[in-house]
Amino acid sequence: MQINGYLKKNRVLILCGLAIAFSIFVFYKYSILAFGKLPEPATTSPTIQRGSIVDKNGKPLAVSANFYHVGVTPSSIKDLAQFVKLFAGPLGYTEEKLAALITSSKSSSFTYIKKKIDQETYETLKEITDKNSLFSAVRFDRIPGRIYPEKDLASQVIGYMGNDGTGLAGIEYTFQDTLSPPVNPDGPIETQGKNVYLTIDANLQFKLEKIAQKAIEDTQAASLMLIAAEAKTGEILSYISLPSTNLNEYTLASIEEMKDRPATESYEPGSVFKIFSIASFYDSQAIGDKDIFLCDGVYEKRTNSGERIRITCLDHHGWITARDALKYSCNDALAQMSEHIESEQFLARIRSLGFGTKTGIELPGETSGAVRNTNDRLWSARSKPTIAIGQEISVSALQMVQAATAIANGGFPVQLTLIKKITTMGGVEEYVHVPAFKNQVLHQNTAKYILSCMETVAQSGTGSRANLGDISIGVKTGTAQMADPKTGGYSKTDFISNCIAIFPVENPEVILYIVIEKAKGETYAGRIVAPVIGQAASAIIDHLGMSRGGAASLAHSGLIAIPQDEEIKIGSVVPDFTGLPKRSLLQLLNKPELKIKINGDGWVTGQTPAPGTTLTQDTEIELFLE
């Protein structure tokens, strides 16, 4: 038998050598894996547990929650018809729409089919994925998120958070590093943020928002601002900017709904500003309470340079004092008073009240407003008397409230704030607000005089519709033409109607300020905003339990009953547990007929099954808390 020529001796030796070398290489690698040092396990990335935003009483306004992006690998879906049949319903799509989404992405290795689904939807889809062995086709990416239990309540104050876990507006933005400390790669695996307690009282905020919403509907106005603050502490009790938006759906909101008007918008306040003008005149002794001025319906003056000044008044008020000038909101008398003070001194007084500078409130994008200088290009002989009546100056709603604190506190302004305290997640207080009074800017007798004049306005002047009757209140109204951006002048149709109030006059506790913009029909502040001030003030007085005239005195035993958590009633359907604290849920564990599982601590951010689902004997309710 003859051997094939290919298998010659040299070639056989080479092949054997290669085989031996390969065997040695495999054995070497095996030895390293078997006896060598194991590689270090992958280090888990540090995570941050974002703190909550709550009202002054601990009511949750923004709590952390898990959301998920759902993605698919189109090439791994073997049966598209079956896949869309299973997933379309839970995702809120029609089968045709979901099929089109996946088909249009056939050329991609991966595509998202729905972003930011909630925990409940995730649980449903995860169960479908597990049952149908679709692990290679479907991917869930967990993202940090927020649930806002009170939806649009104080929405511009709270703000919102982006998908990357960063605050984008409001307190969520300003206190980003407090709520969610920056990740330290060398730090602990899990870091907890702090809880921020606002000065806002959510229950009072709700009551005042109802009043404000009705006002904006009744006047068909474009927008409304309302601020209530504690006079002695500067703490904001209520902060309203309408229109507003449901923070859980902020991506659908319009620019107007997201705008934080009290902080970012500046405008000419009109006659409300007269209280600060007269305070400046009176405090500098440019005028006295007995001085009288003749109002003949128009203020006219011609300067030595030939400049003519003409400011009209709503009426012929005759001989009047400064008190009367506020009572009737007389432009003529205010313009005459301005002649008794130097321009620089007047402007310095205005700036000392906080106009022309930011208040320093804990919100982003705050405006400084604008107070002119005498060397400005647009300064004229008309500027001083015009500023005195609230024109040629721009202010913010927050600046108006800040300046009013000086009148309420005997000449000492107090810093406005939205932060009551900051605590750890364990409840340890790391910051507690203490009132911060500024330098005195008015004499005490000046503040008392202005308060007395404001009370006269409420009793028998332009603000009489804000008068409460059973508790003293001082007010000042104002109606101002808005600027027309097209003509550069004043609009003939758009007005700002505003009113400020301080009560009780003898011992101020609350400052209340409202602004209605672009009302249709009636625009006179005394008719459309003064009544709203009266309603809001009454609601605040009742909510805070302030003593009202004629109220019955009651003897108290000294015993205080602490109310129990309201009973959670379970009917034929699964209730909505969202926003409830864990403490309130404990009562459910005593109901043997219920199958309930509670995951986590804090407040309910998700549940399964969904609210409204028919409750059967076999239904198991699972709650997710953050």
Side-chain angles (χ1 to χ4, degrees), residues 69-72 101 105 110-115 139-141:
H69 291 340
V70 187
V72 297
L101 275 174
S105 305
F110 179 82
T111 186
Y112 285 114
I113 54 175
K114 190 73 176 272
K115 290 190 174 184
R139 190 177 90 195
F140 298 99
D141 292 339

Side-chain angles (χ1 to χ4, degrees), residues 259-270:
K259 191 179 292 184
D260 177 9
R261 288 180 169 79
T264 64
E265 186 174 290
S266 61
Y267 54 91
E268 292 186 351

Side-chain angles (χ1 to χ4, degrees), residues 222-407:
S223 63
L224 180 148
M225 297 178 258
L226 189 148
I227 297 174
E230 289 186 351
K232 292 180 173 64
T233 67
E235 294 183 3
I236 305 290
L237 295 171
S238 179
Y239 187 108
I240 298 172
S241 180
L242 298 179
S244 59
T245 188
N246 180 347
L247 290 172
N248 296 306
E249 301 172 352
Y250 75 88
T251 55
L252 305 177
S254 67
I255 293 175
E256 292 301 307
E257 290 171 333
M258 301 304 294
K259 191 179 292 184
D260 177 9
R261 288 180 169 79
T264 64
E265 186 174 290
S266 61
Y267 54 91
E268 292 186 351
S271 294
V272 174
F273 194 77
K274 290 172 182 174
I275 60 173
F276 304 117
S277 297
I278 290 184
S280 300
F281 303 151
Y282 189 89
D283 202 67
S284 60
Q285 299 182 342
I287 64 167
D289 58 347
K290 298 291 191 288
D291 292 342
I292 56 174
F293 306 87
L294 176 62
C295 169
D296 58 6
V298 62
Y299 172 80
E300 287 189 287
K301 186 178 180 181
R302 187 178 293 274
T303 66
N304 294 333
S305 62
E307 187 176 353
R308 182 174 176 239
I309 307 167
R310 190 173 193 276
I311 297 174
T312 59
C313 197
L314 293 174
D315 205 343
H316 295 68
H317 298 116
W319 290 99
I320 58 174
T321 63
R323 179 184 298 274
D324 296 325
L326 286 178
K327 175 180 176 179
Y328 300 120
S329 201
C330 178
N331 290 343
D332 190 353
L334 263 291
Q336 291 179 55
M337 292 178 207
S338 72
E339 294 179 6
H340 296 261
I341 189 172
E342 293 294 328
S343 297
E344 292 291 356
Q345 186 182 10
F346 180 41
L347 294 175
R349 290 273 181 179
I350 290 172
R351 291 193 182 95
S352 73
L353 288 164
F355 296 106
T357 57
K358 298 177 181 180
T359 67
I361 199 78
E362 302 92 346
L363 290 171
E366 186 184 4
T367 179
S368 299
V371 177
R372 285 181 177 169
N373 294 311
T374 54
N375 57 0
D376 285 350
R377 179 176 58 86
L378 296 176
W379 183 269
S380 68
R382 179 188 172 88
S383 294
K384 184 171 57 171
T386 304
I387 291 173
I389 64 173
Q391 295 179 344
E392 284 195 39
I393 182 172
S394 71
V395 305
S396 71
L398 285 170
Q399 286 176 335
M400 294 292 283
V401 175
Q402 180 82 77
T405 65
I407 295 173

Side-chain angles (χ1 to χ4, degrees), residues 107 187 197 235 259 301 427 443 550 598 623:
S107 58
Y197 283 71
E235 294 183 3
K259 191 179 292 184
K301 186 178 180 181
H443 291 94
I598 300 174
L623 304 177

Side-chain angles (χ1 to χ4, degrees), residues 356-616:
T357 57
K358 298 177 181 180
T359 67
I361 199 78
E362 302 92 346
L363 290 171
E366 186 184 4
T367 179
S368 299
V371 177
R372 285 181 177 169
N373 294 311
T374 54
N375 57 0
D376 285 350
R377 179 176 58 86
L378 296 176
W379 183 269
S380 68
R382 179 188 172 88
S383 294
K384 184 171 57 171
T386 304
I387 291 173
I389 64 173
Q391 295 179 344
E392 284 195 39
I393 182 172
S394 71
V395 305
S396 71
L398 285 170
Q399 286 176 335
M400 294 292 283
V401 175
Q402 180 82 77
T405 65
I407 295 173
N409 291 303
F412 292 90
V414 63
Q415 175 65 48
L416 296 181
T417 184
L418 282 160
I419 306 302
K420 184 73 174 177
K421 63 181 178 179
I422 297 173
T423 72
T424 65
M425 290 209 176
V428 178
E429 294 178 346
E430 294 198 345
Y431 165 83
V432 177
H433 173 250
V434 176
F437 285 91
K438 303 182 180 183
N439 294 332
Q440 189 171 13
V441 296
L442 297 172
H443 291 94
Q444 187 173 9
N445 64 334
T446 300
K448 278 188 175 181
Y449 175 68
I450 297 300
L451 276 171
S452 171
C453 292
M454 291 174 69
E455 186 175 19
T456 300
V457 175
Q459 291 172 339
S460 56
T462 58
S464 60
R465 297 191 182 193
N467 198 23
L468 300 173
D470 59 353
I471 192 168
S472 60
I473 185 170
V475 303
K476 183 67 189 83
T477 62
T479 309
Q481 288 175 287
M482 297 182 70
D484 187 335
K486 293 182 180 178
T487 65
Y490 287 103
S491 171
K492 295 181 180 179
T493 57
D494 296 338
F495 293 85
I496 279 182
S497 308
N498 58 145
C499 181
I500 199 161
I502 301 175
F503 58 92
V505 170
E506 61 275 8
N507 183 24
E509 292 186 41
V510 177
I511 296 168
L512 186 58
Y513 182 55
I514 184 174
V515 182
I516 291 181
E517 293 182 317
K518 299 182 181 179
K520 291 183 172 60
E522 180 63 71
T523 59
Y524 182 57
R527 296 193 182 100
I528 68 170
V529 292
V532 182
I533 283 285
Q535 295 170 37
S538 188
I540 292 170
I541 292 164
D542 290 341
H543 183 83
L544 298 181
M546 296 167 63
S547 177
R548 306 192 76 137
S553 297
L554 300 175
H556 197 281
S557 66
L559 297 176
I560 300 174
I562 301 175
Q564 299 297 314
D565 291 326
E566 186 176 344
E567 182 183 359
I568 300 174
K569 296 181 180 179
I570 307 292
S572 59
V573 298
V574 177
D576 187 353
F577 295 98
T578 305
L580 289 179
K582 189 172 186 177
R583 182 189 67 248
S584 298
L585 302 173
L586 298 181
Q587 57 182 284
L588 299 176
L589 301 178
N590 296 323
K591 297 179 182 290
E593 70 277 12
L594 280 180
K595 295 179 181 178
I596 189 158
K597 183 179 179 182
I598 300 174
N599 300 301
D601 294 296
W603 296 275
V604 178
T605 59
Q607 68 179 80
T608 181
T613 303
T614 301
L615 195 60
T616 67

